[in-house]
Amino acid sequence: MPFTKFTNLDFDQIKTSIKDYLRANSDFDAFDFEGSNFSVLIDTLAYNTYITAFNSNMVVNESFLDSATVRENVVSLARNIGYVPRSRTAAQATISFDILNTTSINIDTAPSTVTLKAGLVCITSNDNTTFTFSIPEDITTTVKLGAILGADELGITNAQGFTASFNNIKVFQGTFLKKSFSVDGSLDQRFILDNPFIDTSTIVVRVKGSSEKGKGTLFTKVDNILNINSTSSTFLIQEVQDEKYELLFGDGIFGRKLENESIIDVSYIVTDGKEGNGPSSFTFAGTVTDINDNPIDLASTPSINVISSASNGGDIESTDSIKYFAPRLYSSQYRAVTARDYEAIIQQIYPNTESVSVVGGEELDPPQFGMVFITIKPQNGDFVSDFDKTQILTKLKNYTLT
C-alpha cells in the first residue's frame, strides 16, 4: 500500500489524498466515495487531520520569537535572552505649591520639616475624564515659621503658623497602590504584583528583616546582573501573564538573598498610559504630615503652579516592538558601541521614543571621530525636552565603554 504525503493544510486536498490512499487498496479500487455514507467518514478524517495540522503549525510558530503571536509567548521567548518589555509609562507633570498653616504654634515645638505623603497629590480633568496624579515616595521639605506673636501668660513664645514650599515636584498619572509579601524560604515562592498596567519605573521595594525596625532597606531595580555582588540590595522584574509583573531577588551570589520571615513592602502606580497626557491644571488633594506623621491642618487648599503639563505617558510595548528590539538589545550586551546598540538602548531608557536614528561621527563629512549623533522622535510632541535630553545622556553613560 503506497504511503501518501500530506504537503498542505487545505481541507479539500486532504480529503482527496485520503481517497487516493483508499483507492490504492484493491478492496476500494472501484468504490464510489461520493455516493455513499463512507463520504461522511472521509470528511471526519479530513477535518480531524486539518485541525491537528493547524494546531501543530500554530504550536511550532509560537516556539520562535519571529513567528509567535500570543503576547505571553513573545514575552517568554524574549525573557530567554534577557529582554524585559517596556511597561506602560505614566504621564508626568511638574508642579510647585505652598502650604499654609495659620494655627498659633509654640516655636520650640514647631515642626522643622513637613512631608508630602506618597500617593495621591492632585486631580484633574481632561476630555470629561478625571485623572489622579500621585508620587511614589514621600517628599520632605523645611518650614518657615510665621510672624512671632510674643510670649503668652505661661512665657511660651508662639508663632502665627508656618508655611512650606514644595518646588518642582514630579507627579505621575495613576493610582498609588501597596502590597506586602512575607518570605517563607520555599523554592517555589513567587512575588507577583496583582495589578496590570503598572509603570515599573514607580516601583519602590523595601525589605525588612524579622528583627529589623523601621521601614527596612530600600532595594534598587536593575536591568542586569553586571556589577552585582552577594550583598547588593537589588531586584529585577519580569513580565508574566496578563501584563502583570514579578519581582526577582538575589540568591546570595548575584544580589542579596532574602532572609526567612522578611517582609517585602512594595508600592507602585497603576496608570492609564498615554490617555493621561495633556492636563495643564490641577487641584490639590494630597496629605501633608508633620515629623510625627500627624496630618497638618491647612488654612486653605494650596494653589498649584504648573511648571510643565502632563506628558510622556505611553502604552505597554507591543509584540512587534518586542520582536524587533529583543534580539538587538541582546546583541548589544548592554554596551553602546555600534549605532544599532544605541538604537536598542535608547528605546529602553527613554520609553517615549517613537523612532530613533543614530549616526557615528566617522560617517560624517568631515568625520568627527569619537562622536555619536542621535535623533529621537518622541511619541508625544515634536521634540525632546532639554530635561529629557539630559536624562538620556546621563543614562547612556552607564552603557558606554569609555
Side-chain angles (χ1 to χ4, degrees):
M1 185 179 295
F3 177 76
T4 303
K5 293 183 179 181
F6 295 103
T7 58
N8 56 71
L9 297 178
D10 183 75
F11 176 82
D12 292 331
Q13 292 189 20
I14 292 175
K15 183 177 178 180
T16 301
S17 298
I18 294 175
K19 290 179 182 179
D20 293 341
Y21 177 81
L22 292 174
R23 286 194 181 100
N25 188 321
S26 59
D27 295 336
F28 297 96
D29 187 22
F31 197 84
D32 183 9
F33 294 102
E34 298 298 335
S36 68
N37 290 332
F38 201 47
S39 178
V40 177
L41 297 178
I42 294 177
D43 287 344
T44 302
L45 287 172
Y47 182 75
N48 179 71
T49 303
Y50 175 78
I51 295 300
T52 302
F54 176 81
N55 288 338
S56 299
N57 182 67
M58 294 301 295
V59 168
V60 172
N61 285 341
E62 292 299 315
S63 301
F64 299 94
L65 184 61
D66 288 340
S67 56
T69 58
V70 179
R71 181 176 181 86
E72 282 77 5
N73 296 334
V74 174
V75 170
S76 179
L77 292 167
R79 185 187 308 138
N80 291 337
I81 55 177
Y83 186 81
V84 179
R86 297 191 309 273
S87 69
R88 274 196 183 188
T89 52
Q92 302 175 29
T94 305
I95 62 174
S96 297
F97 60 89
D98 298 329
I99 64 166
L100 173 64
N101 176 281
T102 57
T103 304
S104 179
I105 186 172
N106 183 350
I107 62 173
D108 295 325
T109 59
S112 57
T113 61
V114 292
T115 300
L116 178 64
K117 301 298 291 183
L120 178 63
V121 174
C122 53
I123 58 176
T124 186
S125 295
N126 190 34
D127 293 333
N128 297 321
T129 303
T130 300
F131 294 99
T132 60
F133 280 74
S134 310
I135 54 175
E137 297 185 86
D138 295 346
I139 298 177
T140 300
T141 188
T142 57
V143 303
K144 180 180 180 181
L145 294 178
I148 302 299
L149 301 177
D152 58 15
E153 62 276 4
L154 298 178
I156 298 175
T157 302
N158 295 321
Q160 186 62 50
F162 59 85
T163 61
S165 298
F166 291 90
N167 297 317
N168 298 320
I169 301 300
K170 183 178 291 187
V171 292
F172 299 80
Q173 187 280 315
T175 303
F176 178 78
L177 299 174
K178 293 181 178 181
K179 184 175 178 62
S180 295
F181 301 92
S182 178
V183 180
D184 59 21
S186 61
L187 297 177
D188 59 350
Q189 185 177 18
R190 301 179 68 185
F191 308 106
I192 299 177
L193 304 180
D194 296 330
N195 307 90
F197 312 140
I198 295 173
D199 181 348
T200 56
S201 68
T202 66
I203 296 177
V204 178
V205 175
R206 294 183 183 274
V207 178
K208 183 168 60 176
S210 56
S211 59
E212 189 176 351
K213 296 182 180 180
K215 293 184 178 181
T217 302
L218 179 65
F219 275 55
T220 304
K221 182 172 75 71
V222 294
D223 297 325
N224 53 71
I225 59 174
L226 298 177
N227 302 319
I228 300 299
N229 57 39
S230 60
T231 60
S232 300
S233 298
T234 57
F235 69 96
L236 298 98
I237 61 169
Q238 66 179 16
E239 183 181 333
V240 291
Q241 293 80 13
D242 301 324
E243 300 179 6
K244 297 179 182 178
Y245 291 92
E246 179 181 7
L247 306 181
L248 305 173
F249 293 91
D251 58 0
I253 299 175
F254 294 105
R256 172 181 163 187
K257 185 176 181 179
L258 302 183
E259 302 175 355
N260 288 348
E261 299 183 358
S262 295
I263 301 298
I264 305 172
D265 292 320
V266 187
S267 63
Y268 51 89
I269 291 176
V270 175
T271 179
D272 295 306
K274 65 181 181 181
E275 294 181 7
N277 292 328
S280 57
S281 62
F282 302 90
T283 302
F284 182 80
T287 300
V288 181
T289 62
D290 60 20
I291 195 171
N292 297 316
D293 211 28
N294 298 315
I296 293 175
D297 294 327
L298 304 181
S300 60
T301 302
S303 177
I304 294 180
N305 178 34
V306 179
I307 309 301
S308 62
S309 58
S311 61
N312 292 342
D315 290 333
I316 195 168
E317 186 172 6
S318 66
T319 55
D320 289 338
S321 177
I322 296 172
K323 291 179 183 180
Y324 181 82
F325 284 106
R328 285 160 177 78
L329 187 66
Y330 175 72
S331 67
S332 75
Q333 294 295 301
Y334 292 96
R335 81 283 185 272
V337 177
T338 68
R340 180 166 289 186
D341 294 343
Y342 277 93
E343 291 178 359
I345 291 171
I346 286 173
Q347 288 279 351
Q348 287 292 108
I349 64 178
Y350 185 59
N352 192 40
T353 301
E354 180 177 302
S355 61
V356 58
S357 176
V358 181
V359 177
E362 70 279 1
E363 299 181 24
L364 300 180
D365 186 17
Q368 298 186 39
F369 297 103
M371 302 290 290
V372 177
F373 295 85
I374 303 171
T375 304
I376 299 175
K377 169 62 172 67
Q379 294 178 0
N380 306 291
D382 297 324
F383 59 90
V384 180
S385 67
D386 291 338
F387 176 80
D388 288 336
K389 289 179 183 178
T390 302
Q391 293 293 310
I392 293 171
L393 290 174
T394 300
K395 293 178 180 179
L396 275 177
K397 292 180 180 178
N398 297 326
Y399 299 91
T400 58
L401 301 181
T402 57

